[in-house]
Amino acid sequence: MKAVMVIPTYNEAENIQPLIQAIHESCPDLDVLIVDDRSPDGTADLARKMDRVQVIERSGKLGLGTAYVAGFKHALEQGYDHIGGMDADFSHDPKVLPALYGLLEEADIGIGARYIPGGGTRNWGIHRQILSRTSNLVAKLMLGIPARAVTSGYRCYRRKVLETIDLDALNSEGYAFVVELLYRAHQKGFKIAQTPIIFEDRRYGQSKISKSEIWGGITNLFRLRFGS
Ligand SMILES: Nc1nc2c(ncn2[C@@H]2O[C@H](COP(=O)(O)OP(=O)(O)OP(=O)(O)O)[C@@H](O)[C@H]2O)c(=O)[nH]1
Ligand SMILES: [Mg+2]
């Protein structure tokens, strides 16, 4: 099985090389595809210096959702059977990768989940924990998806999932993008499986996801559930 991990990046210079190294230590056969939005800190150039890495460089900061779409399409064109997605900031522990991709032996989608036995968060304040747990629960209940990790971006898919879903028709941004993708996949009857992860705060660099996206995420749930 040809497998790749798609990683959208924006200003991840401190993380990108150690991350790629950790991915290859954990999963020597996994290729890496970086989708960088012309990070001013030179993330793309640092990534290009590593082995088994391809870099797509876009013209500017166009957002996480379209970065995933660009990466997924490229991966499909290249004939990958298993295609993943993760953050570049070490919140998604590369040690979990064998277990995550292993889920695709049985399921169409594998998700790294915080709120199942063995999973959790590290260094999170009570506010963020409540917000995260609540948004996951609300998303799960509203969308009827049989998974606890609806908002998790640490995932992998069989290629037929990404071929079946019209990626260009997904119109959510940021966090909401992964929620919408899972919702569409669930609607098409694809099977979801989960493995526990401990989610850690980003190692270096700044957060790019704004508070307004949290509210955007909530309105998005209503749009998905009650919209066209
Ligand atoms: N290509 C691209 N990548 C992005 C963009 N925005 C965020 N990212 C990447 O998407 C991933 C998730 O973004 P983060 O900034 O870690 O978001 P977060 O986890 O909610 O926030 P943190 O608290 O900073 O960890 C990281 O790998 C970012 O570099 C974007 O506009 N374009
Ligand atoms: Mg992060």
Side-chain angles (χ1 to χ4, degrees):
M1 285 285 168
K2 234 169 87 117
V4 64
M5 175 51 84
V6 175
I7 310 176
T9 56
Y10 191 76
N11 284 346
E12 300 288 359
E14 299 101 325
N15 295 311
I16 196 65
Q17 290 190 335
L19 180 77
I20 293 167
Q21 194 177 341
I23 289 171
H24 285 147
E25 273 163 23
S26 164
C27 253
D29 294 332
L30 184 63
D31 292 338
V32 172
L33 173 57
I34 302 293
V35 185
D36 187 72
D37 279 1
R38 204 150 281 201
S39 300
D41 71 356
T43 302
D45 286 335
L46 292 167
R48 274 190 210 100
K49 294 199 176 102
M50 309 288 288
D51 291 331
R52 291 197 85 126
V53 175
Q54 301 174 65
V55 179
I56 296 177
E57 210 173 349
R58 304 199 300 168
S59 57
K61 193 172 187 316
L62 301 171
L64 187 58
T66 57
Y68 268 127
V69 172
F72 290 159
K73 284 183 173 175
H74 187 80
L76 288 172
E77 277 163 22
Q78 305 220 320
Y80 285 103
D81 305 295
H82 293 165
I83 300 165
M86 74 190 288
D87 292 354
D89 58 1
F90 280 97
S91 287
H92 296 153
D93 183 356
K95 288 197 188 72
V96 177
L97 286 167
L100 187 70
Y101 279 82
L103 294 172
L104 296 183
E105 283 164 27
E106 303 281 318
D108 300 303
I109 304 169
I111 306 184
R114 280 161 271 183
Y115 307 121
I116 59 174
T121 52
R122 199 168 289 150
N123 305 326
W124 270 25
I126 188 76
H127 285 105
R128 197 161 170 193
Q129 285 199 39
I130 290 171
L131 181 72
S132 165
R133 280 178 178 270
T134 312
S135 55
N136 260 293
L137 193 64
V138 171
K140 173 188 148 87
L141 293 176
M142 275 189 65
L143 304 179
I145 301 172
R148 288 302 308 273
V150 173
T151 62
S152 172
Y154 197 12
R155 295 192 187 163
C156 53
Y157 311 84
R158 287 185 182 162
R159 66 174 287 124
K160 77 167 185 259
V161 175
L162 301 177
E163 280 170 340
T164 305
I165 292 170
D166 183 359
L167 295 171
D168 291 315
L170 300 176
N171 46 18
S172 310
E173 251 312 316
Y175 283 122
F177 174 82
V178 293
V179 177
E180 179 167 7
L181 182 46
L182 194 66
Y183 183 52
R184 300 294 174 216
H186 172 62
Q187 283 179 322
K188 302 254 186 224
F190 287 114
K191 189 176 164 201
I192 302 164
Q194 306 177 84
T195 192
I197 58 166
I198 306 286
F199 188 98
E200 287 196 51
D201 259 345
R202 69 162 44 251
R203 263 199 205 167
Y204 303 103
Q206 278 183 348
S207 178
K208 282 120 226 162
I209 295 204
S210 64
K211 295 281 174 290
S212 69
E213 269 201 68
I214 292 165
W215 296 110
I218 293 168
T219 48
N220 187 63
L221 285 178
F222 281 88
R223 189 177 58 76
L224 286 179
R225 177 66 180 77
F226 301 110
S228 54

